[in-house]
Amino acid sequence: MGKKKEEENVVSSTPEEEEEEEYEVEKVVDKRTVKGKIQYFIKWKSFPDTDNTWEPDENLECPELIEQYEKKITADKSTKEKPTAPATKTDDSKKRKSSEAKTAKTGDGNKRAKITNDEKPKGFHRGLDPDKIVGATDSGGILTFLMKWKGSEEADLVTSEEANTKCPHVVIQFYEDRLTWHTAAQETT
């Protein structure tokens, strides 16, 4: 993660942002419309689900994944319209198997519970220094930043309030990198 990619499943950059890194889309998870604009909930390759973000469709360069998601939604809708058969014992055994799958065998054959994403420290709780902000999103009405950390390939979502308090210089740099100045000469052309 964090390497420039020139593949189809990446978030596009504008000419001013060409020096910024592009992140590869693993899959499209959800879809919504905000103020008449379509947004997709994106699972980023090599990032945990907690780092999924809503992205406007015009920022995405992954038409195959969007098409795949749209087909899945269409298929799910047609499946919901059909009557379903009652649950059987095989469904119960699958449930048990999936709960058993939550444990991992160690080299000595013992089973141990995997650490879930909820148990891992996130954001500033990881004890890492912030490197830069790679993006911003509205997460449940709260402005959050996708923060890249020094010495780590992982990024975490951090609230703007926490980032403003703990690393204002990184926040300022993020906004300065995106400033565009308009002069009177540019407006007349």
Side-chain angles (χ1 to χ4, degrees):
M1 208 61 249
K3 296 177 183 164
K4 281 195 174 185
K5 303 249 183 203
E6 291 190 17
E7 296 177 9
E8 295 173 356
N9 300 337
V10 294
V11 175
S12 65
S13 64
T14 60
E16 302 88 37
E17 299 174 334
E18 283 187 23
E19 294 180 15
E20 288 190 25
E21 298 172 4
E22 293 183 348
Y23 294 91
E24 189 172 352
V25 175
E26 183 175 314
K27 69 178 179 177
V28 177
V29 180
D30 202 357
K31 177 182 174 180
R32 70 180 180 187
T33 304
V34 177
K35 296 182 182 177
K37 301 236 180 200
I38 296 173
Q39 294 181 346
Y40 291 97
F41 197 53
I42 301 300
K43 165 72 172 100
W44 299 105
K45 192 168 189 171
S46 302
F47 283 89
D49 289 343
T50 55
D51 291 338
N52 294 359
T53 57
W54 286 102
E55 298 293 334
D57 62 344
E58 63 265 12
N59 287 0
L60 300 172
E61 293 180 359
C62 54
E64 297 84 13
L65 293 176
I66 291 171
E67 183 179 333
Q68 179 182 357
Y69 171 77
E70 295 290 347
K71 284 181 181 177
K72 179 181 178 265
I73 293 304
T74 305
D76 288 350
K77 285 182 182 178
S78 65
T79 303
K80 286 181 182 177
E81 292 171 2
K82 295 178 184 176
T84 57
T88 62
K89 279 190 172 184
T90 55
D91 291 338
D92 292 337
S93 65
K94 286 180 184 176
K95 288 179 184 175
R96 275 188 236 113
K97 286 180 184 176
S98 66
S99 65
E100 289 172 4
K102 291 179 183 174
T103 61
K105 285 192 177 184
T106 60
D108 58 3
N110 295 333
K111 289 185 177 181
R112 293 192 185 146
K114 284 185 180 178
I115 297 174
T116 64
N117 284 337
D118 296 338
E119 295 172 6
K120 290 182 184 177
K122 301 233 184 309
F124 289 97
H125 299 289
R126 292 173 48 190
L128 299 174
D129 293 325
D131 184 24
K132 67 180 182 176
I133 297 170
V134 294
T137 189
D138 175 5
S139 179
I142 299 170
L143 176 63
T144 56
F145 296 121
L146 183 59
M147 183 77 69
K148 190 96 168 81
W149 306 95
K150 292 179 182 174
S152 175
E153 288 295 314
E154 290 186 31
D156 296 314
L157 285 176
V158 175
T159 64
S160 61
E161 183 178 315
E162 189 175 24
N164 290 338
T165 305
K166 296 186 176 178
C167 59
H169 60 287
V170 176
V171 176
I172 292 168
Q173 186 63 49
F174 173 74
Y175 286 119
E176 283 180 348
D177 290 345
R178 284 153 182 79
L179 277 178
T180 55
W181 298 101
H182 299 282
T183 62
Q186 287 176 334
E187 292 176 5
T188 58
T189 57

